[in-house]
Amino acid sequence: MTRVLRLVLMGPPGAGKGTQGELLAHRFGIPRYATGDILRASRRDGSELGRKAQSFMDAGELVPDEVILGLIGEALDTPEAQDGCLFDGFPRTVAQAEGLDTLLREAGRELDAVVNLAVSDAEIVRRLSSRRVCGDCGTVAPTGEGRRECPGCGGGLVTRPDDRPETVLRRLEVYREQTEPVLSWYRDSSTRVFDIPGTGGVARVQELILEAIAA
Ligand code: ADP
Ligand code: ZN
């Protein structure tokens, strides 16, 4: 199914944005721009962007808005982004939301909806402390399989540096202080915001999102 759709996927760290975002992007045939994934890929490549982002990420702090907006501006200029796209983990500050609004408005476009995945703090800490990712390609390992190798590339599985418990707590704080206000900002604008419980299984959450955005 292809349909012009511009979506923002929000939610605390570990809410399942990546999993749900990939399913949605695939279903609608639109590119997914996950700023966290883009930054981690840049780190692996040793690029300038990656070097700039590294210290912020490892401390659980946000990468500066102008760096993130530069990256999103470039993505929105590509041919693949013309028929819709999904933002995952962006915007994370009100300044980023305003920046996105300007970029879209200049192109004569707007967001269709914001999907907010809600998960409790206790569940987040539990999920992130057991999360393992591939050190080579960044794929999140399926849980509960006791795997030691990446199912995609065979690389070794590691704990993401920012999934250490101290850093997770800081990421949650940053989320409350800087990212939750983005939700209020969208609610006060004319953008539709859908609150979806991020628990209850991957397929069920996907179903709830599809129902919400179809309405
Ligand atoms: P999670 O949603 O699990 O916290 P992400 O992969 O989305 O993880 O982000 C990891 C880190 O990358 C963040 O803690 C932050 O340092 C940086 N980052 C990602 N997206 C943004 C953004 N939009 N603005 C600022 N920093 C970001
Ligand atoms: Zn891998």
Side-chain angles (χ1 to χ4, degrees):
M1 174 162 56
T2 308
R3 164 179 154 201
V4 176
L5 189 64
R6 289 191 181 79
L7 278 183
V8 164
L9 195 50
M10 291 189 57
K17 298 187 293 290
T19 306
Q20 297 298 332
E22 270 179 28
L23 290 170
L24 289 168
H26 186 252
R27 181 175 190 100
F28 293 105
I30 52 177
R32 163 177 166 260
Y33 299 121
T35 41
D37 288 354
I38 298 171
L39 296 171
R40 276 185 295 277
S42 310
R43 284 177 64 166
R44 285 194 295 272
D45 297 347
S47 73
E48 167 76 22
L49 172 64
R51 275 196 303 278
K52 264 192 217 159
Q54 176 147 9
S55 55
F56 296 104
M57 295 175 79
D58 288 349
E61 302 295 334
L62 295 182
V63 173
D65 291 332
E66 56 278 16
V67 174
I68 300 290
L69 282 167
L71 190 154
I72 292 292
E74 274 174 33
L76 282 175
D77 264 345
T78 60
E80 56 161 27
Q82 305 315 305
D83 295 325
C85 65
L86 181 140
F87 301 102
D88 166 347
F90 167 86
R92 256 176 158 90
T93 63
V94 169
Q96 289 180 18
E98 288 169 346
L100 175 62
D101 198 53
T102 304
L103 286 169
L104 291 175
R105 205 153 7 87
E106 283 168 359
R109 297 180 182 145
E110 59 182 10
L111 287 177
D112 292 289
V114 173
V115 171
N116 177 40
L117 292 179
V119 175
S120 72
D121 284 11
E123 174 68 9
I124 289 163
V125 173
R126 197 186 64 75
R127 286 185 186 182
L128 296 187
S129 61
S130 59
R131 174 160 82 174
R132 298 289 179 276
V133 301
C134 176
D136 292 336
C137 75
T139 298
V140 179
T143 46
E145 290 186 18
R147 276 177 181 274
R148 309 184 61 163
E149 283 175 0
C150 171
C153 77
L157 299 180
V158 298
T159 296
R160 237 170 71 175
D162 60 343
D163 281 347
R164 284 182 300 243
E166 328 77 86
T167 317
V168 168
L169 293 179
R170 179 60 194 149
R171 278 159 67 201
L172 275 171
E173 256 173 38
V174 167
Y175 175 77
R176 301 278 174 244
E177 286 164 10
Q178 304 193 55
T179 308
E180 264 184 357
V182 175
L183 280 171
S184 319
W185 187 87
Y186 277 125
R187 289 187 217 279
D188 291 343
S189 75
S190 54
T191 313
R192 297 184 302 165
V193 178
F194 298 111
D195 294 297
I196 308 283
T199 42
V202 171
R204 180 66 188 140
V205 173
Q206 180 74 191
E207 213 172 81
L208 292 172
I209 297 175
L210 291 174
E211 276 171 24
I213 61 180

mmCIF file of all heavy atoms in Angstrom, residues 12-14 17 35-37 39-40 56-57 60-63 68 89-92 96 131 160 162 171, ligand 1:
data_model
loop_
_atom_site.group_PDB
_atom_site.id
_atom_site.type_symbol
_atom_site.label_atom_id
_atom_site.label_comp_id
_atom_site.label_asym_id
_atom_site.label_seq_id
_atom_site.Cartn_x
_atom_site.Cartn_y
_atom_site.Cartn_z
ATOM 1 N N PRO A 12 9.036 7.573 24.967
ATOM 2 C CA PRO A 12 10.284 7.522 25.730
ATOM 3 C C PRO A 12 11.253 6.501 25.130
ATOM 4 O O PRO A 12 10.855 5.681 24.311
ATOM 5 C CB PRO A 12 9.838 7.103 27.128
ATOM 6 C CG PRO A 12 8.516 6.451 26.928
ATOM 7 C CD PRO A 12 7.894 7.110 25.746
ATOM 8 N N PRO A 13 12.542 6.556 25.558
ATOM 9 C CA PRO A 13 13.495 5.559 25.093
ATOM 10 C C PRO A 13 12.955 4.164 25.398
ATOM 11 O O PRO A 13 12.369 3.946 26.454
ATOM 12 C CB PRO A 13 14.764 5.831 25.903
ATOM 13 C CG PRO A 13 14.460 6.930 26.849
ATOM 14 C CD PRO A 13 13.134 7.517 26.493
ATOM 15 N N GLY A 14 13.121 3.247 24.472
ATOM 16 C CA GLY A 14 12.691 1.873 24.724
ATOM 17 C C GLY A 14 11.204 1.644 24.555
ATOM 18 O O GLY A 14 10.696 0.567 24.847
ATOM 19 N N LYS A 17 9.767 2.440 19.362
ATOM 20 C CA LYS A 17 9.626 3.282 18.175
ATOM 21 C C LYS A 17 10.295 2.642 16.957
ATOM 22 O O LYS A 17 9.726 2.645 15.869
ATOM 23 C CB LYS A 17 10.257 4.666 18.409
ATOM 24 C CG LYS A 17 9.614 5.467 19.537
ATOM 25 C CD LYS A 17 10.183 6.880 19.601
ATOM 26 C CE LYS A 17 11.653 6.936 20.016
ATOM 27 N NZ LYS A 17 11.893 6.581 21.418
ATOM 28 N N THR A 35 16.684 9.525 13.832
ATOM 29 C CA THR A 35 17.897 10.312 14.077
ATOM 30 C C THR A 35 18.924 9.529 14.902
ATOM 31 O O THR A 35 20.119 9.615 14.632
ATOM 32 C CB THR A 35 17.554 11.657 14.746
ATOM 33 O OG1 THR A 35 16.549 11.441 15.745
ATOM 34 C CG2 THR A 35 17.025 12.646 13.725
ATOM 35 N N GLY A 36 18.458 8.745 15.881
ATOM 36 C CA GLY A 36 19.399 7.951 16.691
ATOM 37 C C GLY A 36 20.183 6.968 15.828
ATOM 38 O O GLY A 36 21.399 6.830 15.960
ATOM 39 N N ASP A 37 19.488 6.294 14.913
ATOM 40 C CA ASP A 37 20.147 5.324 14.024
ATOM 41 C C ASP A 37 21.133 6.031 13.092
ATOM 42 O O ASP A 37 22.226 5.535 12.841
ATOM 43 C CB ASP A 37 19.116 4.591 13.150
ATOM 44 C CG ASP A 37 18.276 3.596 13.954
ATOM 45 O OD1 ASP A 37 18.578 3.395 15.148
ATOM 46 O OD2 ASP A 37 17.317 3.043 13.383
ATOM 47 N N LEU A 39 22.702 8.828 13.629
ATOM 48 C CA LEU A 39 23.870 9.262 14.405
ATOM 49 C C LEU A 39 24.789 8.082 14.719
ATOM 50 O O LEU A 39 26.015 8.192 14.618
ATOM 51 C CB LEU A 39 23.432 9.945 15.705
ATOM 52 C CG LEU A 39 22.644 11.255 15.550
ATOM 53 C CD1 LEU A 39 22.090 11.704 16.898
ATOM 54 C CD2 LEU A 39 23.527 12.356 14.949
ATOM 55 N N ARG A 40 24.202 6.937 15.090
ATOM 56 C CA ARG A 40 25.033 5.768 15.402
ATOM 57 C C ARG A 40 25.765 5.268 14.161
ATOM 58 O O ARG A 40 26.934 4.873 14.241
ATOM 59 C CB ARG A 40 24.199 4.642 16.029
ATOM 60 C CG ARG A 40 24.019 4.805 17.546
ATOM 61 C CD ARG A 40 23.307 3.613 18.166
ATOM 62 N NE ARG A 40 21.952 3.501 17.677
ATOM 63 C CZ ARG A 40 20.922 4.184 18.171
ATOM 64 N NH1 ARG A 40 21.098 4.992 19.195
ATOM 65 N NH2 ARG A 40 19.727 4.043 17.659
ATOM 66 N N PHE A 56 27.668 13.519 23.495
ATOM 67 C CA PHE A 56 26.291 13.785 23.927
ATOM 68 C C PHE A 56 25.542 12.467 24.110
ATOM 69 O O PHE A 56 24.874 12.245 25.110
ATOM 70 C CB PHE A 56 25.546 14.635 22.892
ATOM 71 C CG PHE A 56 26.113 16.013 22.703
ATOM 72 C CD1 PHE A 56 26.877 16.324 21.594
ATOM 73 C CD2 PHE A 56 25.879 17.000 23.659
ATOM 74 C CE1 PHE A 56 27.399 17.590 21.416
ATOM 75 C CE2 PHE A 56 26.392 18.283 23.490
ATOM 76 C CZ PHE A 56 27.158 18.569 22.365
ATOM 77 N N MET A 57 25.644 11.604 23.125
ATOM 78 C CA MET A 57 24.894 10.354 23.151
ATOM 79 C C MET A 57 25.292 9.480 24.325
ATOM 80 O O MET A 57 24.447 8.941 25.032
ATOM 81 C CB MET A 57 25.093 9.582 21.847
ATOM 82 C CG MET A 57 24.524 10.303 20.651
ATOM 83 S SD MET A 57 24.877 9.461 19.115
ATOM 84 C CE MET A 57 23.652 8.158 19.146
ATOM 85 N N GLY A 60 23.784 10.436 27.495
ATOM 86 C CA GLY A 60 22.322 10.453 27.564
ATOM 87 C C GLY A 60 21.732 11.823 27.299
ATOM 88 O O GLY A 60 20.544 12.055 27.500
ATOM 89 N N GLU A 61 22.596 12.759 26.841
ATOM 90 C CA GLU A 61 22.123 14.119 26.547
ATOM 91 C C GLU A 61 21.706 14.210 25.079
ATOM 92 O O GLU A 61 22.043 13.345 24.279
ATOM 93 C CB GLU A 61 23.262 15.135 26.788
ATOM 94 C CG GLU A 61 23.829 15.127 28.192
ATOM 95 C CD GLU A 61 22.824 15.571 29.259
ATOM 96 O OE1 GLU A 61 21.887 16.327 28.922
ATOM 97 O OE2 GLU A 61 22.972 15.148 30.413
ATOM 98 N N LEU A 62 21.013 15.289 24.735
ATOM 99 C CA LEU A 62 20.603 15.469 23.351
ATOM 100 C C LEU A 62 21.715 16.096 22.524
ATOM 101 O O LEU A 62 22.475 16.940 23.009
ATOM 102 C CB LEU A 62 19.355 16.357 23.275
ATOM 103 C CG LEU A 62 18.093 15.782 23.905
ATOM 104 C CD1 LEU A 62 16.933 16.750 23.711
ATOM 105 C CD2 LEU A 62 17.755 14.416 23.332
ATOM 106 N N VAL A 63 21.796 15.678 21.287
ATOM 107 C CA VAL A 63 22.707 16.280 20.324
ATOM 108 C C VAL A 63 22.104 17.650 19.959
ATOM 109 O O VAL A 63 20.880 17.785 19.893
ATOM 110 C CB VAL A 63 22.825 15.341 19.100
ATOM 111 C CG1 VAL A 63 23.611 15.969 17.967
ATOM 112 C CG2 VAL A 63 23.456 14.007 19.529
ATOM 113 N N ILE A 68 20.921 18.268 14.367
ATOM 114 C CA ILE A 68 19.793 17.393 14.027
ATOM 115 C C ILE A 68 18.969 18.003 12.886
ATOM 116 O O ILE A 68 18.592 17.305 11.940
ATOM 117 C CB ILE A 68 18.886 17.190 15.267
ATOM 118 C CG1 ILE A 68 19.684 16.545 16.413
ATOM 119 C CG2 ILE A 68 17.653 16.397 14.927
ATOM 120 C CD1 ILE A 68 20.060 15.109 16.192
ATOM 121 N N GLY A 89 12.047 9.259 16.669
ATOM 122 C CA GLY A 89 13.020 9.841 17.592
ATOM 123 C C GLY A 89 13.331 11.296 17.274
ATOM 124 O O GLY A 89 14.290 11.863 17.785
ATOM 125 N N PHE A 90 12.542 11.900 16.460
ATOM 126 C CA PHE A 90 12.655 13.303 16.073
ATOM 127 C C PHE A 90 11.235 13.799 15.818
ATOM 128 O O PHE A 90 10.451 13.060 15.218
ATOM 129 C CB PHE A 90 13.492 13.450 14.793
ATOM 130 C CG PHE A 90 13.399 14.822 14.173
ATOM 131 C CD1 PHE A 90 14.242 15.834 14.591
ATOM 132 C CD2 PHE A 90 12.436 15.103 13.192
ATOM 133 C CE1 PHE A 90 14.144 17.110 14.028
ATOM 134 C CE2 PHE A 90 12.335 16.375 12.643
ATOM 135 C CZ PHE A 90 13.187 17.379 13.067
ATOM 136 N N PRO A 91 10.869 15.027 16.201
ATOM 137 C CA PRO A 91 11.622 15.999 16.994
ATOM 138 C C PRO A 91 11.638 15.646 18.486
ATOM 139 O O PRO A 91 10.705 15.074 19.004
ATOM 140 C CB PRO A 91 10.847 17.292 16.763
ATOM 141 C CG PRO A 91 9.462 16.882 16.402
ATOM 142 C CD PRO A 91 9.566 15.547 15.743
ATOM 143 N N ARG A 92 12.724 16.032 19.144
ATOM 144 C CA ARG A 92 12.895 15.739 20.567
ATOM 145 C C ARG A 92 12.903 16.996 21.427
ATOM 146 O O ARG A 92 13.004 16.893 22.648
ATOM 147 C CB ARG A 92 14.238 15.037 20.768
ATOM 148 C CG ARG A 92 14.136 13.547 20.993
ATOM 149 C CD ARG A 92 15.568 13.062 21.074
ATOM 150 N NE ARG A 92 15.763 11.823 21.748
ATOM 151 C CZ ARG A 92 15.733 10.632 21.147
ATOM 152 N NH1 ARG A 92 15.423 10.525 19.896
ATOM 153 N NH2 ARG A 92 16.010 9.556 21.838
ATOM 154 N N GLN A 96 13.219 21.776 17.744
ATOM 155 C CA GLN A 96 13.251 20.857 16.592
ATOM 156 C C GLN A 96 11.881 20.774 15.931
ATOM 157 O O GLN A 96 11.769 20.713 14.702
ATOM 158 C CB GLN A 96 13.703 19.458 17.021
ATOM 159 C CG GLN A 96 15.178 19.382 17.398
ATOM 160 C CD GLN A 96 15.620 17.983 17.832
ATOM 161 O OE1 GLN A 96 14.955 16.988 17.559
ATOM 162 N NE2 GLN A 96 16.737 17.909 18.531
ATOM 163 N N ARG A 131 18.421 -5.082 26.729
ATOM 164 C CA ARG A 131 18.541 -4.940 25.280
ATOM 165 C C ARG A 131 19.981 -5.173 24.815
ATOM 166 O O ARG A 131 20.920 -4.675 25.408
ATOM 167 C CB ARG A 131 18.083 -3.523 24.873
ATOM 168 C CG ARG A 131 18.295 -3.208 23.420
ATOM 169 C CD ARG A 131 17.429 -2.072 22.972
ATOM 170 N NE ARG A 131 17.976 -0.753 23.303
ATOM 171 C CZ ARG A 131 17.417 0.381 22.882
ATOM 172 N NH1 ARG A 131 16.296 0.364 22.182
ATOM 173 N NH2 ARG A 131 17.961 1.531 23.215
ATOM 174 N N ARG A 160 24.265 -1.331 24.287
ATOM 175 C CA ARG A 160 24.523 0.022 23.782
ATOM 176 C C ARG A 160 25.083 0.855 24.921
ATOM 177 O O ARG A 160 24.558 0.789 26.022
ATOM 178 C CB ARG A 160 23.201 0.626 23.281
ATOM 179 C CG ARG A 160 23.239 1.069 21.841
ATOM 180 C CD ARG A 160 21.863 1.414 21.365
ATOM 181 N NE ARG A 160 21.355 2.646 21.964
ATOM 182 C CZ ARG A 160 20.194 3.207 21.633
ATOM 183 N NH1 ARG A 160 19.424 2.644 20.728
ATOM 184 N NH2 ARG A 160 19.794 4.317 22.197
ATOM 185 N N ASP A 162 24.698 3.765 25.852
ATOM 186 C CA ASP A 162 23.714 4.594 26.551
ATOM 187 C C ASP A 162 22.569 3.775 27.136
ATOM 188 O O ASP A 162 21.616 4.328 27.649
ATOM 189 C CB ASP A 162 23.206 5.726 25.652
ATOM 190 C CG ASP A 162 22.520 5.237 24.380
ATOM 191 O OD1 ASP A 162 22.697 4.053 24.010
ATOM 192 O OD2 ASP A 162 21.796 6.036 23.759
ATOM 193 N N ARG A 171 18.502 9.662 30.389
ATOM 194 C CA ARG A 171 17.713 9.775 29.160
ATOM 195 C C ARG A 171 16.236 9.993 29.481
ATOM 196 O O ARG A 171 15.538 10.730 28.797
ATOM 197 C CB ARG A 171 17.889 8.534 28.284
ATOM 198 C CG ARG A 171 19.165 8.586 27.454
ATOM 199 C CD ARG A 171 19.620 7.222 26.995
ATOM 200 N NE ARG A 171 18.725 6.594 26.045
ATOM 201 C CZ ARG A 171 18.698 5.280 25.822
ATOM 202 N NH1 ARG A 171 19.500 4.475 26.505
ATOM 203 N NH2 ARG A 171 17.887 4.783 24.929
HETATM 204 P P1 ADP B 1 16.171 6.055 22.366
HETATM 205 O O1 ADP B 1 14.861 6.448 21.731
HETATM 206 O O2 ADP B 1 16.228 4.615 22.741
HETATM 207 O O3 ADP B 1 16.588 6.977 23.470
HETATM 208 P P2 ADP B 1 17.656 6.883 20.005
HETATM 209 O O4 ADP B 1 18.357 5.882 19.197
HETATM 210 O O5 ADP B 1 16.448 7.528 19.395
HETATM 211 O O6 ADP B 1 17.324 6.146 21.338
HETATM 212 O O7 ADP B 1 18.648 8.051 20.446
HETATM 213 C C1 ADP B 1 19.857 7.803 21.095
HETATM 214 C C2 ADP B 1 20.599 9.110 21.378
HETATM 215 O O8 ADP B 1 20.849 9.817 20.146
HETATM 216 C C3 ADP B 1 19.821 10.129 22.224
HETATM 217 O O9 ADP B 1 19.945 9.874 23.597
HETATM 218 C C4 ADP B 1 20.504 11.444 21.788
HETATM 219 O O10 ADP B 1 21.766 11.608 22.377
HETATM 220 C C5 ADP B 1 20.730 11.231 20.315
HETATM 221 N N1 ADP B 1 19.566 11.695 19.512
HETATM 222 C C6 ADP B 1 18.764 10.930 18.716
HETATM 223 N N2 ADP B 1 17.806 11.674 18.142
HETATM 224 C C7 ADP B 1 17.993 12.944 18.581
HETATM 225 C C8 ADP B 1 17.314 14.180 18.367
HETATM 226 N N3 ADP B 1 16.244 14.261 17.563
HETATM 227 N N4 ADP B 1 17.794 15.274 18.995
HETATM 228 C C9 ADP B 1 18.852 15.225 19.785
HETATM 229 N N5 ADP B 1 19.535 14.108 20.050
HETATM 230 C C10 ADP B 1 19.116 12.970 19.462
#
